[in-house]
Structure formats: structure tokens, C-alpha cells
Amino acid sequence: MARRARSGKRDSRPRARAVFFGWGKGIIAVGKADTRATRDFTPFELSDPQRIAWLRLIRSENVGPATFRDLVNHCGSAQTALDMLPELAKRGGRMAKVKVATQVQAENEIAAITKHGAKLVGIGEPHYPLALRTMDQPPPLVTIKGSTDVVVRTAIGIVGSRNASMAGIKMARVLAGELASRGYATVSGLARGIDRAAHEESLHIGTIAVLAGGINKPYPPENLELLHEIETNQRGCSLTEQPFNWEPRAKDFPKRNRLIAGLCAGLVVVEAAQRSGSLITARIAGELGRHVMAVPGSPLDPRAQGTNGLIRNGATLVANVDDIVEAITPIAGGGAMPSADQSQLLEPDDSFTLPPPDSVRERIVGLLGPTPIDLDDIIAESDASPSEVFLVILELDLAGRVERHSGNRVSLLM
């Protein structure tokens, strides 16, 4: 639907897309659909003050990956965003003072990460996983322990039931081992059952264990020895977006699943019950444009109901490793992910403006409800500029009044 002009007639001009396409030099690139100027992406290193400011910002109240991105776009830097947080949240309707992470908290976390033998890596830096940078709302900072070489290789996600059958475990081992022999890394969640089998079988080539808690708070405890081997054998690593010392909670595992989906070119579900975290991972992978695959199982086994359902709904059936390679070759080119200097990003072409008039703000807020809505639709219906819509949504987000969803959608928290 084209944006309406103020006269009420259809506007024939190219419609501005409310999409952020990537990161460059610490600033997130913004673009318009039909006016895309591109340039090569050049990796950069954060300075110590920048890294501290980035960490403070992402650890501040109501700041997630999308909000972090919008704040840096609006303010020009993480440090300026930190200074502006209270005023932005107040304009969004927040009465209480927003909690901003302190300099000391950030310095202490970085020191703890370093002492633990891990690294805090920012998006755009050379060791940030390339696949994560292509996902919707990538985490601005991740903590990695182990080999950073594995995160730039093409990885296949292998997930499934914690209480796996022997047949399922054997299949996970076969697939992971044969993928490893062809040079692919694996990514999984260090859980019991299928996850563990996939990690063990691909240790000699490369595997990534994604954690739901802090880098020093892995789960479950029975896989600690396996995790140590992953982190120290020069072929694998652990990775998380959570703070150091963060104890994983139930609601943190879907966040972990999102990273698993983002890190892989394709995701294979080996066994999954009808209500399974692996199905959440598969759904997110599909939303991110990753190739979703599943191993079929007996209709009599509850652990196969989820995988059989995925196949019924369009997932690629996997009987052997050739099915996986054939499916992902058009995406991954049969080898490594594109190198960073081949990634095309858009130049910023539409910066945020001053706060919009109250009438425009009311019109934007009035379009929001509990049902997620695309920002493009808000721009089209509100007759506001993309800059005004982005800024109002940012303020509401910092005030804790909206929820971000995949696909550039937002909903009002009632």
C-alpha cells in the first residue's frame, strides 16, 4: 500500500522502507526501497571507551537489540544515547527514572569476561559472527569463549529432544559427523540428548555452543566437561548475549534459540515433541530466512510429532547429509559464509528529526494496539515521516510501552 499524500490521493513517490539493513562504522545503516546506495562493509575495532559505552547502553533498562540500533541511529553514538535516555523515556510516557548501567558496572563486567578467558565482541568487529549480522535485530555485543575462527564459517544448526531416543541420537551423530567431514561447523544449545550428540560428533572440525545464561553460567551441569572441551580444543566456542554471571531462566532459552537460528545457514530438527523448544527455534529460523529441515520419525513416537509436523508444513525432509547440503548450497554456496568485505550495506539516508508535534505523536500512538503491526504500515497510515515514526516508537520502547517483534513489527503493551 503506497503512502497517502496529505491531499488524500495516492503518493506515487517511492515508499520509504522502515527497515534497518546493517551496521557500518558503529552506525546502523538506514535505506529507502528504491534509492539504495551501497558500499563495502569494512570491519572496525571498538575503542575501549566505545566498548564500555556500548555495554552500558545494551545493559540499560528497556534497551534490547532493536532499541540499541535505533538509539545509535538517532543519537549518533552510544555515549550520546546514554545521555539522552532519561529524556527520551520521559517523552515516551515513563514516570519513573530509567535505570542506566553505570561505567563501573560495565568495566567490572569486561574485566570479569577477560579473566574468564572470553571476549566481548561488538557487531562490525572482525570476530563477530557473520551470520548473526544478517539476522533481524542482531545483538550488538556477544561474549565468545574459545576459537573465534569457527564463527565465520558456514554452520548448520542441529537441535532436538533432550530426552532423545537412541535412534535420534545416532541420527544426530551421523549428520553432524558427515557435515563436519565436508567442512561445515555445527551450532546447537548444549542441551541433553540431540544437542550433546551434535556437539560431540563435530568437535574435531568446529562447533558452537550457544548459552542461555552468562558465559560462566552454562546449563545443564552434566555437560560442563563437554563445554570445556568445546572451548579449549581450538575448533569450537561458546557464545552468549547475556551478562556475565547471568543465571539462565526459563524465558532466556527462547532468546538462546534465536541466536542458534541466527548463527546457522540451515537448521535441522532431529526429534521434537509437539510442544518443544526446538519448534520455537525452527519457527525463528524460518522467520530469519534460514532453511528449515527435519528428520521424519514414527507416527507412534511423541518425539516425532513435531518433526513430522514441520515436514507436513513445508520443511525439507532429511534422510541423509546430502539432503542438507543440497538444501543449503543455494544459500551458503557450499562453503564459507560471504566474507565481511563482500557484505553490502546501505548508507544512512534518513536521520531522525526533532520530536514531532503532539498531533503527529497522538496519531502514531493511536494506530498501535496489542496486535503486532509493521512500521511501514504505521508510516503509510499516520502520514508521518519515517523519522518521526521511528522516534516515537523508540520513546515508547524506552518507556516500556511497546513490544518489538520480528519482521520490523511492534505492538502496544496493554
Side-chain angles (χ1 to χ4, degrees), residues 13 65 89 110 118 127 152 190 192 214 219 235 240 248 258 272 290 310-311 325 330 346 349 361 366 384:
R13 292 171 297 176
I110 292 174
H127 298 305
V152 298
L190 198 70
R192 307 176 185 96
Y219 181 87
R235 293 288 190 273
T240 182
R258 182 174 176 273
R290 276 43 172 175
L310 286 174
I311 294 168
V325 174
L346 301 182
D349 65 0
R361 184 186 304 276

Side-chain angles (χ1 to χ4, degrees), residues 333-358:
M337 294 287 284
S339 61
D341 60 2
Q342 293 174 314
S343 301
Q344 298 296 311
L345 302 178
L346 301 182
E347 293 282 1
D349 65 0
D350 194 4
S351 61
F352 284 112
T353 61
L354 294 174
D358 288 343

Side-chain angles (χ1 to χ4, degrees), residues 271-294:
E271 284 185 340
Q274 198 62 49
R275 293 180 178 272
S276 166
S278 298
L279 297 187
I280 296 175
T281 311
R283 174 181 57 79
I284 297 171
E287 292 174 350
L288 295 177
R290 276 43 172 175
H291 204 109
V292 178
M293 297 162 276

